[in-house]
Amino acid sequence: MGGTRAMHVFTFWKGRIALYGILKALGIGPGDSVIVPGYTCAAVAGAVKFVGASSVYADIDPELYSPLLSAYSDALEGRARVKALILQHTYGIPADVPRIVGWARKQGIAVIEDCAHAMGTLYRREDGCWQEVGNAGVAAFFSSQWSKPVSTGLGGWLVTSDRSLAERMARFHDDECSAASFRELSLLTGQFTAREIFSSPRLYWTAVEVFRRLSRLGIFVGTNEEGEFEGRMPERYAKKMSRLQEWMLRRRLANQDLLVRRRNLKSIYDEALHLCGLPTLHIPENADPVLLRYPVRVKNKDEVLRQARRKRVELGDWFNHPLHPREANAEAFGYRRGFCPEGERAAKEVVNLMLTEQITENTAREAVNFLKQVAQI
């Protein structure tokens, strides 16, 4: 494994705030553009909008689920003031880092790595050494939200080896970010307890519905705030990570067993899918991913999810829109239907096999058998 550069680290209430801070620290604002993958969370495009810049969308490769160099090049063509691109490692599958970063540097475009899905993922550099994602661009941001491998309920962090950028980030973190309120921290603490109660594959769909209802009632600290997915920047958007979250983050980052377990679950899914005659995930030879979720394409996604809910099979629907979730107002972030055909097709077809701490070998094989019975491949 290749060496890692000395890093400056900053923690935030959510991962999207880390991205927002990076964009501000880079001086990106009104009149500027950022190239964004056309298969991502609307919160990514939201951070771009909230600094006053606009998103330009790059379509994805159907096997990597992230843009290839050609897609970034197409997105740049004919556009001025493209200041940065988001290099997203979707589901934990590393993007084509060496080629894209090399090209971006020649264009004078800053590369920001979106590592929200990719904690522990490795790729092979051009010199043949293995490198962990998060080291190639000017900065990288990670997420520790509920669904991520290392979770603090909500949360995220940023890393950069650029001293000048780190100094600007420190000013943003210390001067512009507020602390979470006592109410927010109290609700978050209660949610940790509730999550432990509902952390079972059989209770997955019940938990989803309960947490959505509590969020609507204002007694659950949701991932997204009111108006955010309509393109309106929430009040007190920029917040720091609490001490409780930082303590949990340090403790969980030290537990490498989580990453080993996810690699093992991927192998179990590979074998089970192969034995059932279902397609397995294509991983390039220069990649060693730690998957967040295992994507599988089906032709009847809505029916598969309906049956999964009925039969209590834990199955995810990421991403259900090129700017997930489909309830977000994509046009508010400059996305129009037809911009990213492969991203739109993936949104209609992809369901996710889960790799959470509660998934055992038996529940993994049961989920694959369920797909064999109900999915149209």
Side-chain angles (χ1 to χ4, degrees), residues 50-360:
F50 298 157
V51 296
S54 60
S55 294
V56 178
Y57 295 97
D59 204 1
I60 62 167
D61 176 77
E63 293 185 331
L64 284 181
Y65 296 100
S66 62
L68 297 175
L69 172 57
S70 57
Y72 284 112
S73 179
D74 289 345
L76 176 64
E77 188 172 353
R79 292 184 174 86
R81 298 188 67 173
V82 173
K83 296 295 183 66
L85 67 81
I86 307 297
L87 184 60
Q88 177 177 286
H89 307 297
T90 317
Y91 300 127
I93 308 166
D96 187 1
V97 177
R99 294 185 66 216
I100 294 169
V101 172
W103 170 82
R105 285 175 178 160
K106 292 178 182 178
Q107 307 300 321
I109 297 173
V111 173
I112 302 169
E113 284 189 77
D114 180 349
C115 300
H117 293 190
M119 185 69 203
T121 283
L122 305 174
Y123 67 92
R124 189 157 46 212
R125 301 185 314 215
E126 291 179 329
D127 63 6
C129 293
W130 289 92
Q131 177 71 63
E132 189 170 345
V133 297
N135 291 276
V138 295
F141 65 97
F142 296 78
S143 173
S144 54
Q145 183 256 1
W146 298 104
S147 62
K148 303 305 189 294
V150 174
S151 173
T152 58
L154 298 175
W157 70 99
L158 170 157
V159 297
T160 181
S161 61
D162 185 312
R163 181 178 297 178
S164 176
L165 181 62
E167 290 173 353
R168 297 193 295 274
M169 280 304 309
R171 289 194 290 273
F172 167 75
H173 182 271
D174 296 343
D175 300 339
E176 298 185 42
C177 293
S178 61
S181 68
F182 176 79
R183 180 177 182 275
E184 287 170 324
L185 290 175
S186 298
L187 289 175
L188 186 62
T189 302
Q191 286 164 211
F192 286 127
T193 303
R195 187 169 183 258
E196 291 302 316
I197 296 172
F198 284 102
S199 289
S200 161
R202 301 299 181 195
L203 294 175
Y204 170 75
W205 292 103
T206 301
V208 169
E209 184 58 31
V210 168
F211 290 149
R212 281 177 180 169
R213 289 183 181 181
L214 292 176
S215 183
R216 287 195 292 269
L217 293 171
I219 52 177
F220 180 84
V221 183
T223 303
N224 312 306
E225 298 182 50
E226 184 178 357
E228 186 173 356
F229 281 172
E230 291 294 323
R232 301 193 302 273
M233 185 174 178
E235 293 184 19
R236 297 182 65 248
Y237 174 75
K239 292 196 285 285
K240 305 173 187 178
M241 183 179 279
S242 68
R243 290 183 179 178
L244 169 63
Q245 291 166 294
E246 288 184 338
W247 174 80
M248 294 184 68
L249 182 62
R250 285 192 298 269
R251 188 166 65 95
R252 294 184 176 181
L253 284 175
N255 183 7
Q256 293 298 304
D257 291 344
L258 293 172
L259 306 184
V260 173
R261 192 172 181 282
R262 283 177 176 266
R263 282 194 167 94
N264 291 339
L265 277 173
K266 177 195 173 295
S267 297
I268 291 168
Y269 281 131
D270 284 339
E271 179 191 13
L273 288 164
H274 178 73
L275 290 174
C276 287
L278 300 175
T280 57
L281 183 63
H282 171 74
I283 301 295
E285 291 183 358
N286 63 346
D288 181 13
V290 175
L291 294 183
L292 175 63
R293 295 185 176 186
Y294 192 118
V296 179
R297 288 181 182 262
V298 299
K299 294 179 181 178
N300 58 334
K301 178 173 178 173
D302 289 343
E303 176 62 15
V304 168
L305 291 172
R306 187 183 72 81
Q307 291 286 353
R309 180 187 291 270
R310 186 174 71 85
K311 296 184 178 182
R312 297 315 208 198
V313 176
E314 186 173 0
L315 205 65
D317 71 340
W318 287 3
F319 292 122
N320 61 32
H321 189 278
L323 289 187
H324 180 91
R326 64 168 64 95
E327 292 80 13
N329 182 359
E331 291 191 359
F333 304 106
Y335 186 88
R336 303 289 186 274
R337 185 175 179 181
F339 277 6
C340 298
E342 287 296 343
E344 292 172 13
R345 184 165 72 91
K348 292 178 181 178
E349 295 179 352
V350 173
V351 295
N352 322 131
L353 296 166
M354 311 299 258
L355 294 95
T356 61
E357 294 177 53
Q358 291 72 38
I359 298 295
T360 65

Side-chain angles (χ1 to χ4, degrees), residues 300 303-305 307-308 311 369-376:
N300 58 334
E303 176 62 15
V304 168
L305 291 172
Q307 291 286 353
K311 296 184 178 182
N369 286 331
F370 164 79
L371 285 181
K372 181 182 179 181
Q373 295 167 13
V374 303
Q376 298 175 12

